[in-house]
Amino acid sequence: MANQANADQLVGILRDTVVALVRRDGPDLSARQLGVFLTVYLTDGPHTVRGLAAELNVSKPAITRALDRLGELDLARRKVDPMDRRSVLVQRTLKGAAFLRDMRGIMTEAEQTARETEVPEDVRKAG
């Protein structure tokens, strides 16, 4: 039962985070765009379109479309790899780093709210 409660709490935190991101004034990212963004910012690079497609198990055109949107929002940028001009590197931006920082804050608030409203296990068993 505790594992289910933890899973429910995590899903609640995710929901609260997504709702807060949608409600705020700022970029509204699709799940795929958010997945690409988080992969670029939370895993070591260098990141390429080919590498992101392989890591996320989606097509290269899907990554390209996500990067187009992230580029429009200045959350990530593409640069030709100077070592292999056929390859494109994905780079982080200052605006992207700020977005990630805001997202962490939103998630922290959502987690605190979840903890404050958490029903203790002994009360759940008694109910």
Side-chain angles (χ1 to χ4, degrees), residues 1-92:
M1 266 322 233
N3 286 339
Q4 182 64 39
N6 283 343
D8 290 345
Q9 186 178 26
L10 289 173
V11 170
I13 291 168
L14 176 61
R15 179 207 173 275
D16 291 349
T17 300
V18 170
V19 168
L21 288 171
V22 168
R23 287 181 179 162
R24 73 185 210 124
D25 228 11
D28 190 14
L29 302 179
S30 70
R32 179 170 290 147
Q33 292 162 357
L34 189 57
V36 170
F37 172 81
L38 290 172
T39 300
V40 168
Y41 279 81
L42 298 178
T43 62
D44 292 333
H47 298 284
T48 63
V49 172
R50 182 182 300 119
L52 289 167
E55 187 167 345
L56 297 173
N57 196 27
V58 297
S59 69
K60 288 189 287 186
I63 296 296
T64 297
R65 288 189 300 273
L67 289 173
D68 287 345
R69 178 70 175 142
L70 294 175
E72 288 170 11
L73 297 169
D74 194 30
L75 298 178
R77 76 172 57 96
R78 287 178 271 200
K79 179 183 174 188
V80 173
D81 183 350
M83 303 299 282
D84 179 358
R85 301 206 37 88
R86 298 168 297 165
S87 187
V88 174
L89 299 176
V90 180
Q91 297 181 317
R92 300 169 182 155

Side-chain angles (χ1 to χ4, degrees), residues 9-10 13 16 107-120:
Q9 186 178 26
L10 289 173
I13 291 168
D16 291 349
M107 291 187 81
T108 299
E109 287 178 29
E111 179 188 25
Q112 289 171 349
T113 300
R115 286 183 185 198
E116 290 168 3
T117 59
E118 184 178 331
V119 177

Side-chain angles (χ1 to χ4, degrees), residues 89-104:
L89 299 176
V90 180
Q91 297 181 317
R92 300 169 182 155
T93 65
L94 290 175
K95 191 171 178 182
F99 180 74
L100 181 62
R101 185 176 53 252
D102 291 348
M103 191 173 168
R104 284 181 170 138

